[in-house]
Amino acid sequence: MAREFSTVGVVGLGTMGAGIVEVFARNGIDVVAVEISAPALERGRATLTGSTDRAVAKGKLAEADRDALHERVHFAVGLEALHSVDLVIEAVPEHLDLKQRIFAELDRVCRPEAILATNTSSLSVTEISVATSRPNQVIGIHFFNPAPVMKLVEVVRTVVTAPEVVADVEALCTRLGKVDVTINDRAGFIANALLFGYLNHAVGMFESHYATREDIDAAMKLGCGLPMGPLALMDLIGLDTAYEILDTMYRRGGRDRRHAPVPLLKQMVTAGLLGRKSGRGFYTYERPGSPVVVPDEVTPLATEAALADGARAIAKVGVVGSGTMATGIIEVFAKAGYEVISVTRGMEKSAKVCEAVKTSLNKGVVRGKLAEADRDAALGRISWSATLDHLADVDLVVEAVVEELSVKKALFASLDEICKPGVVLATTTSSLPVIDVAMATQRPADVVGLHFFNPAPVMPLVEVVRTIRTSPEATATARAVCAALGKTGVVCGDRSGFIVNALLFPYLNDAVKMLEASYSTADDIDHAMKLGCGYPMGPFELLDVVGLDVSLAIQRELYLELREPGFAPAPLLEHLVTAGYLGRKTRRGFRDHSHR
């Protein structure tokens, strides 16, 4: 039988500590909430009151339950108040010496059988535990912010944590309505180890002026369905906290360069730009602590006039290709009112593309998302062709043929001869260098990348890729076209992976390495990212959907271009691809899909 915890102590009543107090009190457990001084205690009390009042206002907590919750919490200054609790959770700032001092004192104050837990997200639980005479009763219980809402708890055992202590804490998590994943004491545990490499990479992208903060954040929200963009998330976490976590992970986690905090991060922390809590970080906020972003000196003008500035007029669009991507792009342009010429290799392929576009538009009608008249008008705007010569008078060409450089270069050389001057030539490549395609023409200034996401009619994001030869007019034209299609266009340089794949795939690769090292299971890692970070899919679910062969190819491209050792494809990923386990399409990847 698991131990029954009737009284729990919480040390440190910042956002995290106050949230943990609320979690226990909501679940009928008495809490002794401790701070270092009376003013800090009052701030903690105010945080708890504010959170529960908001829950009442939203109809998520009855007034009587709120009042009962507050009655279960006893506030006190000093650790002496914790002399009779069954479990203590420490939630003070991420400084090892501070936590060790607190644990040494807790060891002296608390009953011999009390469990001592730390909510650290990056420090070594083992190093904290050795400050006590009972390291076998010390454990990590890592809640996620906001603790009352987030379902995940990482339970971190050291090499000496007693098995019954682990079992008791797991049972407690269940009682609290949380999903726990139990793991060993390693830098960053699951969620932070996977999350912070990605966040640091995004800061590096911003620091190098590769893309704007708005475009990086929009790309990851719209391209991956993430609840927040990486830079907005850094502001929420706090740049000082993020710096400490990255620095600790770098020092404890094998000195992986990707965890070495980007220099800009240290500069911002030194300048007091800590994110939401200070009112300014990557973004500027209405006031310190506010989530409301306000314009500042680098906020882009999002007006239609600003988007169209320098853009060329586009009325007629050519789309070359006959695959899923080409079909979706034809539909998107036709629905948006453009005249479209579809060019494929042969009328048989044209007939198939025509049928696919009709089927997709009909589905829109059946689902009530498209009027019959609009469907007919869209189809009426498309003409079908098997020869590139019909692109002589278009204003924009979008190429969506196979991802082979030689094929694309040959096609662009032909387009260069056929198309009139001033036409913007766009490639939908997701992995090849756009400049290589551009240099196959005599007009590289007019060549741009337009990377649509699949399925094109549904996905709201387009990456607009400018090479070092792309003219400002061509970039402006591409952005204006994206806006006219009702898409969000994000502008970036011509680097492998652009924004989304460059940030997404190293994170997926890190998850594979974590599994390979037997640190955790695929299920627990997926749970951690979905429940701890709000991701729509866990990394292994996503890899099986994308296809392990596609993922490996993208990861190899990133590694080849950036030569970053941490980007080397995980051997397990290579082995699965060699074995033909490619994900859902072969019914076997990281999971067996044969029975689904």
Side-chain angles (χ1 to χ4, degrees), residues 382-524:
I382 308 169
S383 45
W384 309 95
S385 169
T387 170
L388 291 172
D389 292 338
H390 286 142
L391 300 176
D393 65 339
V394 299
D395 306 309
L396 165 71
V397 178
V398 181
E399 162 278 309
V401 302
V402 66
E403 280 284 273
E404 279 179 31
L405 191 55
S406 58
V407 177
K408 291 187 190 280
K409 283 170 82 167
L411 172 61
F412 272 71
S414 300
L415 293 173
D416 190 27
E417 289 178 12
I418 292 163
C419 295
K420 64 189 182 187
V423 174
V424 173
L425 304 178
T427 171
T428 60
T429 184
S430 60
S431 61
L432 299 171
V434 177
I435 191 66
D436 281 2
V437 179
M439 294 311 288
T441 74
Q442 300 298 308
R443 46 171 116 182
D446 292 331
V447 178
V448 71
L450 274 184
H451 178 218
F452 287 81
F453 286 71
N454 200 11
V458 177
M459 294 296 278
L461 185 72
V462 181
E463 287 175 321
V464 176
V465 186
R466 55 167 184 236
T467 75
I468 51 174
R469 296 287 297 266
T470 305
S471 70
E473 295 78 28
T475 306
T477 305
R479 291 189 65 196
V481 164
C482 291
L485 294 175
K487 305 285 187 193
T488 298
V490 296
V491 180
C492 63
D494 183 21
R495 254 178 21 198
S496 188
F498 311 138
I499 298 174
V500 174
N501 285 355
L503 291 177
L504 175 66
F505 281 88
Y507 145 74
L508 296 176
N509 196 47
D510 284 347
V512 180
K513 288 179 183 172
M514 191 178 271
L515 178 68
E516 192 172 50
S518 301
Y519 179 62
S520 190
T521 64
D523 287 349
D524 277 358

Side-chain angles (χ1 to χ4, degrees), residues 213 235 239 268 273-276 278-285:
R213 60 187 183 183
D235 276 358
L239 272 58
M268 291 176 76
L273 307 175
L274 307 182
R276 283 190 191 182
S278 69
R280 178 118 192 216
F282 289 103
Y283 295 90
T284 302
Y285 298 87

Side-chain angles (χ1 to χ4, degrees), residues 94-114:
E94 290 283 90
H95 299 295
L96 182 61
D97 54 345
L98 171 62
K99 290 183 190 273
Q100 286 176 327
R101 283 202 309 276
I102 286 172
F103 270 72
E105 187 65 11
L106 289 172
D107 188 35
R108 188 185 64 75
V109 167
C110 296
R111 295 185 304 159
E113 63 273 22

Side-chain angles (χ1 to χ4, degrees), residues 13-14 17-23 25 33 42-54 66 69-70 73 75 148:
L13 304 178
I20 294 169
V21 169
E22 184 178 334
V23 169
E42 283 316 304
R43 283 196 297 274
R45 192 194 298 266
T47 303
L48 177 65
T49 303
S51 176
T52 52
D53 285 353
R54 280 194 301 278
R66 175 196 60 193
L69 182 160
H70 283 282
V73 183
F75 289 92

Side-chain angles (χ1 to χ4, degrees), residues 524-545:
D524 277 358
I525 294 169
D526 277 356
H527 278 318
M529 298 317 290
K530 289 199 295 189
L531 301 176
C533 301
Y535 282 24
M537 297 174 92
F540 297 105
E541 281 180 86
L542 184 54
L543 282 159
D544 276 0
V545 168

Side-chain angles (χ1 to χ4, degrees), residues 131-182:
T132 75
S133 62
R134 53 175 111 178
N136 60 327
Q137 284 166 243
V138 175
I139 194 166
I141 305 180
H142 178 219
F143 287 83
F144 286 73
N145 197 12
V149 176
M150 299 301 275
K151 280 284 195 199
L152 184 75
V153 176
E154 288 176 324
V155 176
V156 187
R157 60 178 170 224
T158 72
V159 286
V160 296
T161 306
E164 59 271 20
V165 169
V166 177
D168 290 344
V169 168
E170 287 173 338
L172 176 64
C173 290
T174 304
R175 180 180 167 187
L176 297 174
K178 301 294 186 187
V179 175
D180 64 275
V181 294
T182 301

Side-chain angles (χ1 to χ4, degrees), residues 178-198:
K178 301 294 186 187
V179 175
D180 64 275
V181 294
T182 301
I183 43 182
N184 295 326
D185 185 20
R186 186 180 114 166
F189 314 135
I190 297 176
N192 281 358
L194 294 180
L195 178 68
F196 275 84
Y198 149 72

